[in-house]
Amino acid sequence: MKKITNKIRIAYGCGDAACNIVYGMVNTLLTLFYTDYVGISPITIGMVMLISRIFDGSSDLIMGIVVERTKSKWGKARPWLLWMMVPYGIAAILLFTVPHTSEFIQGIYIFVTYNLLTTVIYTAINVPYGALSALMTRDSYQQDLLSIFRMIISPFGRIISVTFTMPIVKLFGNDQAAWIKTMGLWVVIAMALLLFCFLKCEETITTEQKKTVEKIPVLTHLKALVKNKYFWCVLVLWTVQVTHMTIIGTSLPYYCKYIFHNDSWMYSVLYFAETIVIILGAMVCPMFIKKWGKRNITLAGAVVAIAAQVCLMLNPNNFYYMFAITLIRSAGVAQLNATVFGMLGDVVEYSYWKNGFRQESMIFGGASLGFKVGSGIASAVITSLMTASGYISSQGANVVQPGSAISMIADIYKWGPVIIWVVAAIMLVIYKLDREMPQIAEELANREK
């Protein structure tokens, strides 16, 4: 088995950083751009995103099947990073080139470009990228390290785009053209990172069973996936992770703009602080994993996140208090960010042990369905609640929002994370694969001898 060096781990993490540069914008500032720079109503945006996620969810499973049957000199997952990186960059820029016409035409344009990016191209990168770690090594701890490096490095993608977008947009003129120019900068960086990941991360799993995997019917793959109880646990956990990012990323810029009355640096500071703490938390995870296991430290992190968010209710209108709460909450959130992909790697080995065939792409593709649907539902719920509360799309002008809209923005930011982290805690109580993995690994080794 080829040794996985830190350089390879860094390269693997750069792949997710590239995804986060673009997808971080989609899950955070894109809604603000549509409402306050293009003038589209929140409910239109929410419906487009929700309907798109229905298509998006099915595309992940389809892509999982496609990857399982891909044959190239680079393997079955790795080549998709190379093939899709340029289309990914072009589609990302198209998101921001919304024409100035009727809202109906704008809604169609958003639907087409949003699905081109998320349903087609992002799926064709993210599903094989997720499966790549399980094709680089079968060692559970090495997969944990790949997951941790991924979650240490990937937030830098969001730091690059989300944290610095608003200051740069204002520097470029604070209009739609400024957003397009800013996105162009991020796209160049994203493509360079994807290329680096492709060049350094090689597929090394070459068991005889893997060579015959294409002979297994698709229906057999799907039945095995549906009956895998730990797959469903981790799917929900990955959904919680992305839903948290969507709630915070989408509601926080509105919170800063209309409650703190600052739409320039406060959002950047809070988002940057959360991201940095998540990175630092992921860095210290390996020592905790060895001592207590992935499940236990992640459950402890969920409890910390819930407690911190509840404490926010005591003084939600004080920026400095919110900053302190953000640091504490992020320390809890960091645990799931660091462990969720290692858990998925264990699910792959569990499935192989239970069913007798490997299905890396199917498992990662199916789990990413939760990732996509979670962010879509979260975006739809947020925009629907904002519309119901009377939010006014301003088209870049300063308007006075009704008190009901401001109260709704505050409630979304305060209560949303509490609800989803309670769900995460319940799933982690059910998840017991950590204690089963040593026996599973031993039995697989003996079976293959």
Side-chain angles (χ1 to χ4, degrees):
M1 188 177 296
K2 183 177 179 179
K3 181 180 178 182
I4 298 181
T5 64
N6 283 338
K7 185 175 182 180
I8 295 174
R9 295 182 186 119
I10 291 171
Y12 181 72
C14 285
D16 204 28
C19 292
N20 270 300
I21 287 176
V22 175
Y23 212 76
M25 292 282 287
V26 172
N27 276 347
T28 55
L29 294 172
L30 185 62
T31 300
L32 179 70
F33 166 75
Y34 284 150
T35 60
D36 287 19
Y37 287 82
V38 183
I40 302 173
S41 64
I43 190 64
T44 300
I45 300 164
M47 291 307 298
V48 166
M49 291 183 176
L50 182 59
I51 295 171
S52 298
R53 290 313 189 202
I54 297 173
F55 296 105
D56 207 358
S58 60
S59 73
D60 287 282
L61 288 174
I62 293 171
M63 192 63 204
I65 297 170
V66 171
V67 172
E68 292 292 354
R69 283 155 173 70
T70 297
K71 294 180 180 180
S72 78
K73 62 180 180 181
W74 299 303
K76 65 179 183 180
R78 181 185 171 209
W80 289 96
L81 305 183
L82 180 67
W83 296 338
M84 290 290 108
M85 66 181 188
V86 173
Y88 189 47
I90 294 172
I93 294 175
L94 289 176
L95 278 181
F96 295 88
T97 57
V98 182
H100 295 279
T101 180
S102 67
E103 184 163 330
F104 177 75
I105 299 298
Q106 288 177 325
I108 294 175
Y109 181 88
I110 291 172
F111 181 83
V112 172
T113 54
Y114 188 84
N115 277 281
L116 176 64
L117 177 68
T118 61
T119 304
V120 180
I121 301 175
Y122 180 81
T123 298
I125 291 178
N126 197 250
V127 170
Y129 171 77
L132 183 58
S133 63
L135 293 166
M136 293 168 65
T137 178
R138 292 178 57 193
D139 181 83
S140 180
Y141 184 64
Q142 289 299 319
Q143 288 188 4
D144 290 342
L145 290 179
L146 282 172
S147 174
I148 288 166
F149 268 75
R150 174 180 181 174
M151 297 319 298
I152 290 173
I153 297 170
S154 67
F156 284 103
R158 296 197 303 275
I159 289 175
I160 290 171
S161 60
V162 179
T163 303
F164 295 111
T165 287
M166 291 309 298
I168 293 178
V169 163
K170 290 184 179 296
L171 181 66
F172 284 165
N174 200 31
D175 56 9
Q176 183 177 357
W179 283 84
I180 296 172
K181 294 173 186 175
T182 304
M183 197 66 222
L185 293 177
W186 305 152
V187 160
V188 172
I189 298 172
M191 289 193 296
L193 292 174
L194 281 173
L195 181 60
F196 179 53
C197 179
F198 164 79
L199 292 174
K200 296 299 179 182
C201 297
E202 298 180 10
E203 299 179 20
T204 61
I205 305 302
T206 56
T207 63
E208 288 301 313
Q209 186 277 331
K210 174 179 176 291
K211 294 177 183 177
T212 60
V213 70
E214 64 271 11
K215 298 178 181 178
I216 299 172
V218 172
L219 187 59
T220 302
H221 271 295
L222 291 174
K223 286 182 178 179
L225 193 67
V226 170
K227 293 180 180 180
N228 189 329
K229 59 182 178 181
Y230 292 124
F231 163 77
W232 291 106
C233 285
V234 181
L235 181 149
V236 173
L237 290 173
W238 197 3
T239 302
V240 167
Q241 182 209 18
V242 71
T243 303
H244 171 85
M245 291 190 297
T246 303
I247 292 172
I248 298 298
T250 303
S251 62
L252 185 56
Y254 291 102
Y255 199 105
C256 292
K257 183 174 182 178
Y258 295 111
I259 296 175
F260 291 146
H261 304 290
N262 183 302
D263 63 346
S264 55
W265 62 269
M266 281 189 177
Y267 171 72
S268 297
V269 167
L270 289 171
Y271 198 89
F272 181 79
E274 176 150 5
T275 306
I276 288 297
V277 173
I278 288 175
I279 293 171
L280 295 176
M283 286 181 176
V284 301
C285 267
M287 64 181 76
F288 296 141
I289 288 175
K290 277 196 168 182
K291 189 170 183 179
W292 291 301
K294 292 190 286 288
R295 178 257 197 180
N296 291 337
I297 66 168
T298 308
L299 180 57
V303 172
V304 170
I306 293 168
Q309 196 66 18
V310 170
C311 289
L312 176 64
M313 316 293 182
L314 300 176
N315 193 5
N317 297 324
N318 185 292
F319 171 78
Y320 299 101
Y321 182 76
M322 181 182 284
F323 181 83
I325 291 296
T326 297
L327 299 180
I328 299 170
R329 182 189 66 215
S330 304
V333 172
Q335 312 312 310
L336 178 59
N337 277 259
T339 60
V340 66
F341 299 110
M343 290 180 181
L344 273 171
D346 288 346
V347 171
V348 169
E349 296 303 314
Y350 172 79
S351 175
Y352 181 29
W353 169 77
K354 182 179 179 181
N355 302 306
F357 54 88
R358 299 183 67 82
Q359 46 178 185
E360 297 94 346
S361 301
M362 288 291 292
I363 287 173
F364 278 87
S368 67
L369 183 153
F371 163 78
K372 302 284 189 61
V373 173
S375 63
I377 292 176
S379 297
V381 169
I382 290 171
T383 52
S384 297
L385 290 174
M386 288 174 62
T387 299
S389 67
Y391 183 85
I392 302 171
S393 296
S394 57
Q395 301 185 39
N398 292 321
V399 299
V400 178
Q401 298 291 348
S404 57
I406 294 175
S407 296
M408 181 59 72
I409 290 168
D411 288 340
I412 291 169
Y413 184 83
K414 289 185 293 185
W415 289 105
V418 174
I419 295 170
I420 62 169
W421 283 103
V422 168
V423 173
I426 294 171
M427 287 298 104
L428 288 163
V429 170
I430 298 171
Y431 183 87
K432 303 183 188 305
L433 187 54
D434 270 13
R435 69 177 67 170
E436 299 176 21
M437 279 307 297
Q439 180 183 351
I440 288 173
E442 182 179 354
E443 290 186 16
L444 284 176
N446 291 334
R447 184 190 302 175
E448 290 174 0
K449 286 178 181 179

